[in-house]
Amino acid sequence: MPSVLDQRPVPPTAPPRASALRRRTRVLTLPEARWALASLVLFLLALPVYLAGGPSWLSGTLFVATYLTGGWEPGWEGLKALKDKTLDVDLLMVVAALGAAAIGQVLDGALLIVIFATSGALEAVATARTADSVRGLLDLAPTTATRLLPGGGEERVPADSLGLGDTILVRPGERGGADGQVIDGASDVDQATIPGEPLPVPKQAGDEVFAGTANGTGALRVRVERDPSDSVIARIVKMVKEASETKAPTQLFIEKIEQRYSIGMVIVTLAVFAIPLALGDELSSALLRAMTFMIVASPCAVVLSTMPPLLSAIANAGRHGVLAKSAVVMERLSQVDTAALDKTGTLTEGTPRVTDVHTVPASGLDGDALLALAAAAEHSSEHPLARAVVTAARERGLTLTEATGFTSEPGAGVTATVSGRTVQVGSPTRLATTGDAATDNLVQAVEDQGRTAVLVLRNGAPVGVLSISDRLRPNAKATVAALTTLTGRTPVLLTGDNERAARHLATEVGITDFRAGLLPQDKVAAVQAWEAEGRKVLVVGDGVNDAPALAAAHTGIAMGKAGSDLALETADAVVIRDELATIPAVVDLSRRARRLVIQNLVIAGTFITVLVAWDLIGTLPLPLGVAGHEGSTVIVGLNGLRLLRERAWTNPARQGTA
């Protein structure tokens, strides 16, 4: 009977062409696209009959059908809005088309309906593309998984039915069905979709894997450690969907003035019609000019200028592991001019490690013997520094002698009996020493490097000092440099750690302004002082002690993997992959989105101004006015979607290390 870890081939995944086909099929399922297509076909059928002087009943019937298919939906929505005392610009477009038909401009009115319906379809497709980019994240995770049964054997089950503690089998070529820990097997896993590593990452027992990541040539048994609904992929989708439902302040402002603008536009339209008519102009000419004005003055492109860039930026950031909780957040990120960074868990990994082992010459111990002695005494302790010592000993393959009589004193250290001798491991300032000068020099040298010194005593005599430090995150220095370039100011370090540790880390990453020994309220006070100066402060943190500062800041970003639940809830955005370099990347993306919003508003405003002036001063042909108005709407919509492209995500921190 083959092992459950056999390497049986699996069916190949769907080719890219299938995904493209699904996207095209989805376009045809959009009602806006179907009605626009029907309207276009009917118009193309009516046009040769009308131009060739064919039967008027035939061309008339086809034009009526064109009006109905292309205009009934926006007209109905406009009437419902009017019932709620809201003037919808879509309704004005339909009225303009009917007005053109009423004065004999049936062809021009039909052309307006067709272009207007096509524009609406393109907007719907643009919105669907943004939604598809979010849905595509879910497609990365398989819908089923192979669950291993306790008594042997396996079963294929829906991935969302997996529970904590279940063991699943991920065969070669498959995607993981849940977030969990490898308990058996070894393979290279392509994690580009989740943590973002460009190359496959070796995985073996004890390593973490994510739902949706692609397994390589080996087979893995994975214990499920996170509910499928709370997986990294699911959290990305949930938060990006919630963000897509919000509106940025710029959009809210535009919508606020849209009503007043529309009412004013109707009043001016009536004036454009009535004044020339009163001065002796022909009815058809005055009405045509008024209908043209109503079309070109409509703020459709202005309304569409804001949300596509911001929603595209949210979706792109979500694909790269940064969850902006709303369009408001994405817009606010573009405004930050000061960055304040936490130390432990943000600039550093938050996991202490033994960096050096220093022995006292008179002890007669070498480095391995000293580390094994300290690890034996620390083995029963749950303190993070104790775990660092034990981990270091295990990484060196050292054998630990069983200790007895273990006791622990908070803030001081531990005491245990190892091989008949009393061993104490802990803080140099709290453990009683003989005042040995060599030991004091070792402790001083370690602390001068910004590291934590752990003293080891044997029968009351110092035998060595362990140097423990929290490892700097990859790209920390490059991230600081990138944020400096983006904001125009060097980031500030806010930490509760001691001054020497803060100074050492600040120097290492290129920070010149640091505040050490801060309590949570001290961090808040610093942020509020900057805000009072008119700064827009970005705070990046991970712990409970960072939550107040995250809430007080203009924008707060939490490191998701190691971050506390309170910090994750309080922050405006979450870096779920714990990749520090994504922070300047998302700030840069937000600024690109803001630039596109401004570009769109300039484009929309220019089109409206030129077309309105042309209509009032000269004679603007209705078809040209329609093309200009709807063309500007399509342009700003597609311009905003540029941020959905992969190349729109640039990483200034990584570029700085290239």
Side-chain angles (χ1 to χ4, degrees):
M1 180 176 179
S3 165
V4 295
L5 293 181
D6 62 2
Q7 298 186 7
R8 286 177 285 178
V10 296
T13 56
R17 183 176 298 176
S19 297
L21 178 60
R22 284 196 299 270
R23 285 195 295 269
R24 288 195 293 268
T25 303
R26 172 171 173 77
V27 169
L28 295 178
T29 63
L30 296 173
E32 296 90 346
R34 292 200 305 270
W35 288 117
L37 180 61
S39 179
L40 175 62
V41 170
L42 290 167
F43 178 79
L44 293 177
L45 291 175
L47 185 61
V49 177
Y50 178 82
L51 294 178
S56 58
W57 65 266
L58 179 57
S59 60
T61 301
L62 291 173
F63 277 134
V64 168
T66 301
Y67 278 76
L68 289 175
T69 53
W72 82 267
E73 190 172 35
W76 179 248
E77 293 298 323
L79 289 174
K80 289 195 296 185
L82 194 60
K83 183 180 178 181
D84 297 329
K85 299 180 180 180
T86 301
L87 187 59
D88 195 314
V89 293
D90 290 357
L91 179 61
L92 298 180
M93 291 295 97
V94 175
V95 170
L98 295 176
I103 59 174
Q105 302 288 333
V106 179
L107 178 61
D108 292 339
L111 179 61
L112 169 58
I113 287 292
V114 169
I115 297 180
F116 183 60
T118 304
S119 173
L122 289 175
E123 292 174 27
V125 171
T127 303
R129 282 192 59 190
T130 304
D132 281 343
S133 69
V134 178
R135 248 185 304 274
L137 297 171
L138 274 180
D139 292 341
L140 296 174
T143 56
T144 61
T146 302
R147 180 165 57 191
L148 301 181
L149 303 175
E154 61 186 55
E155 61 178 349
R156 199 71 179 172
V157 299
D160 58 9
S161 69
L162 294 173
L164 300 180
D166 282 349
T167 300
I168 62 174
L169 172 64
V170 186
R171 290 190 171 91
E174 289 185 337
R175 289 189 178 272
D179 292 359
Q181 185 180 70
V182 177
I183 58 175
D184 192 17
S187 184
D188 290 332
V189 176
D190 183 356
Q191 298 191 151
T193 56
I194 304 298
E197 289 92 342
L199 299 176
V201 179
K203 296 289 183 180
Q204 57 186 3
D207 291 335
E208 183 180 20
V209 292
F210 304 98
T213 53
N215 190 21
T217 57
L220 300 173
R221 279 199 292 181
V222 177
R223 181 175 60 245
V224 178
E225 295 192 336
R226 188 177 289 121
D227 188 274
S229 64
D230 194 41
S231 68
V232 172
I233 284 288
R235 290 172 66 189
I236 291 176
V237 174
K238 178 182 177 182
M239 297 184 74
V240 174
K241 280 185 176 179
E242 290 175 351
S244 299
E245 295 172 357
T246 63
K247 296 180 180 180
T250 301
Q251 178 71 12
L252 292 174
F253 175 75
I254 290 173
E255 292 181 358
K256 183 177 180 180
I257 66 172
E258 178 189 352
Q259 278 299 296
R260 298 175 182 175
Y261 179 90
S262 298
I263 294 172
M265 187 183 72
V266 171
I267 295 173
V268 176
T269 300
L270 294 175
V272 170
F273 169 68
I275 293 175
L277 191 63
L279 295 177
D281 198 1
E282 294 182 0
L283 174 64
S284 59
S285 176
L287 187 57
L288 182 60
R289 184 187 295 270
M291 293 300 99
T292 304
F293 175 84
M294 179 180 288
I295 293 167
V296 299
S298 293
C300 301
V302 174
V303 174
L304 196 64
S305 295
T306 303
M307 291 310 291
L310 294 175
L311 293 182
S312 298
I314 290 172
N316 201 337
R319 289 202 305 264
H320 291 87
V322 182
L323 306 182
K325 294 182 178 180
S326 68
V328 177
V329 171
M330 189 57 68
E331 187 171 48
R332 289 166 71 91
L333 264 174
S334 68
Q335 302 166 355
V336 297
D337 56 17
T338 301
L341 309 177
D342 174 49
K343 174 180 174 287
T344 306
T346 300
L347 285 172
T348 66
E349 293 181 346
T351 304
R353 298 173 182 270
V354 175
T355 57
D356 295 290
V357 179
H358 305 280
T359 60
V360 174
S363 68
L365 300 176
D366 60 15
D368 284 352
L370 174 63
L371 185 59
L373 186 68
E378 294 271 34
H379 188 265
S380 298
S381 175
E382 290 298 321
H383 194 280
L385 295 183
R387 289 197 295 270
V389 173
V390 174
T391 298
R394 286 175 174 169
E395 288 176 348
R396 293 193 184 190
L398 304 179
T399 301
L400 304 186
T401 304
E402 184 176 356
T404 59
F406 173 84
T407 60
S408 176
E409 181 181 350
V414 303
T415 302
T417 300
V418 181
S419 300
R421 297 183 179 183
T422 301
V423 178
Q424 295 172 277
V425 184
S427 168
T429 60
R430 300 293 296 275
L431 294 179
T433 67
T434 59
D436 179 70
T439 303
D440 292 341
N441 290 337
L442 283 177
V443 170
Q444 187 65 42
V446 169
E447 292 182 343
D448 285 345
Q449 294 178 335
R451 298 173 179 172
T452 300
V454 175
L455 180 63
V456 182
L457 305 180
R458 184 177 60 186
N459 289 338
V463 292
V465 176
L466 306 180
S467 174
I468 298 182
S469 177
D470 189 1
R471 190 164 63 182
L472 201 64
R473 285 189 186 275
N475 294 317
K477 185 175 182 179
T479 296
V480 169
L483 286 173
T484 302
T485 301
L486 286 169
T487 64
R489 292 187 178 95
T490 303
V492 181
L493 177 64
L494 301 179
T495 178
D497 210 340
N498 66 76
E499 184 174 352
R500 280 182 296 188
R503 185 186 303 278
H504 178 78
L505 182 135
T507 302
E508 191 173 1
V509 299
I511 291 178
T512 55
D513 184 1
F514 66 90
R515 319 283 174 90
L518 300 182
L519 296 174
Q521 58 266 33
D522 299 325
K523 293 184 178 182
V524 172
V527 171
Q528 289 176 338
W530 290 321
E531 295 276 355
E533 296 174 3
R535 298 193 196 182
K536 308 293 186 183
V537 183
L538 167 65
V539 172
V540 185
D542 71 303
V544 172
N545 62 325
D546 297 317
L550 291 171
H554 180 74
T555 310
I557 297 181
M559 304 299 292
K561 186 176 179 181
S564 70
D565 289 340
L566 181 59
L568 300 183
E569 289 295 327
T570 305
D572 299 302
V574 180
V575 181
I576 61 168
R577 297 176 183 171
D578 257 18
E579 187 180 359
L580 193 62
T582 58
I583 293 173
V586 74
V587 172
D588 181 64
L589 183 66
S590 69
R591 296 191 173 190
R592 291 179 179 218
R594 185 167 181 81
R595 287 197 294 270
L596 284 185
V597 169
I598 295 173
Q599 286 178 17
N600 284 347
L601 291 174
V602 170
I603 291 171
T606 301
F607 267 84
I608 291 175
T609 301
V610 171
L611 293 174
V612 166
W614 189 347
D615 184 56
L616 294 179
I617 298 173
T619 302
L620 174 63
L622 179 59
L624 187 57
V626 170
H629 174 269
E630 299 302 332
S632 66
T633 303
V634 172
I635 289 172
V636 299
L638 296 179
N639 191 40
L641 294 180
R642 289 163 51 196
L643 295 184
L644 281 175
R645 298 177 300 177
E646 182 64 27
R647 62 182 180 181
W649 177 268
T650 60
N651 201 319
R654 284 185 171 175
Q655 290 174 355
T657 60

